[in-house]
Amino acid sequence: MNSIDYWNDLEELRRRKPLIHHLMNFVAMNDAANITLALGASPIMAHAAEEVEELVSIAGALYINIGTLDREWIESMLMAGRAANKNGVPVLLDPVGAGASRLRTETARRILAEVEISIVKGNGGEIMALAGRSGLTKGVDSLGEAEMDVVDLVAREFGATTVATGPVDHVSNLKQRAEVMNGTPMLQLVTGSGCMLGSVMSSFLATSRDPFKAAIEGLVAFEVAAETAVEGSDGPASFKVRLIDEVYKLNKDSFARAKVRIL
């Protein structure tokens, strides 16, 4: 995408080191923190209702990931989201497992209704669940790919730049649409790879404040790193370690591998 200067934007991110406030699941929390640091931003993982409003006020972006849910966490997510809106902090929502249970789907839709979300990012099944299509998830895994018309539907209903990941990633804010064709199937074998992508995308969002641009930058940076990481890896475990290293090693030449099409 010629209008995006990936390298200069990444250099700016690394210079500013924005604080990314994560409210996210236990399964991927450590990996998300490490990928955020490797990219050049600064992570904090804080869920307590007593401090989320204070912390989000100094953050560059808020990343809400609903992978771990209970009543207290849901309230913290809503409090943090409202505080982010009040303080002009952009919010990324990852509706992990939407469609797998009523709690997850209703929580995601409630956050979207009560908080101004800059980016909603999910796999195909999760985005289809938000669009009212059911039966397309197995736990937190997608059983289908969301086409652009479904992505448009979610973007229209909730007023957020919407990202559906898959073999081809679809991005839409209704005014602009793009497809990103980077990545590797090995990402499907690493728990929390989508959560790590959310951290990378949130870091770009904190820097650019342009949700459509940040979504594409996050996808490209994470997925070109994954393409390099899979070369020479022996399986999912070594791939994950190499992925964090390759995010750390991203440079100007890395982005020559970007495969982005504007529709």
Side-chain angles (χ1 to χ4, degrees), residues 232-247:
S233 65
D234 297 318
S238 59
F239 168 71
K240 185 174 76 169
V241 173
R242 287 176 59 87
L243 174 59
I244 296 171
D245 285 343
E246 292 302 330
V247 167

Side-chain angles (χ1 to χ4, degrees), residues 10 13 17-25 27-47 60-66 90-96 119-122 163 165 191-208 214-215 217-223 243-244 247 250:
L10 179 55
L13 187 160
K17 300 186 183 301
L19 179 67
I20 311 303
H21 187 175
H22 293 64
L23 280 80
M24 69 176 301
N25 67 78
V27 176
M29 195 178 297
N30 185 64
D31 292 331
N34 282 328
I35 207 83
T36 304
L37 286 168
L39 185 68
S42 178
I44 186 168
M45 278 63 180
H47 297 78
L62 172 64
Y63 175 26
I64 299 177
N65 174 306
I66 69 166
V91 183
L92 186 149
L93 173 66
D94 194 335
V96 178
I119 299 174
V120 55
K121 176 208 72 72
V163 179
T165 59
T191 298
S193 61
C195 304
M196 287 188 278
L197 170 60
S199 295
V200 172
M201 201 176 287
S202 297
S203 300
F204 279 104
L205 180 62
T207 305
S208 74
E217 288 180 323
L219 285 164
V220 169
F222 185 75
E223 291 177 355
L243 174 59
I244 296 171
V247 167
L250 283 168

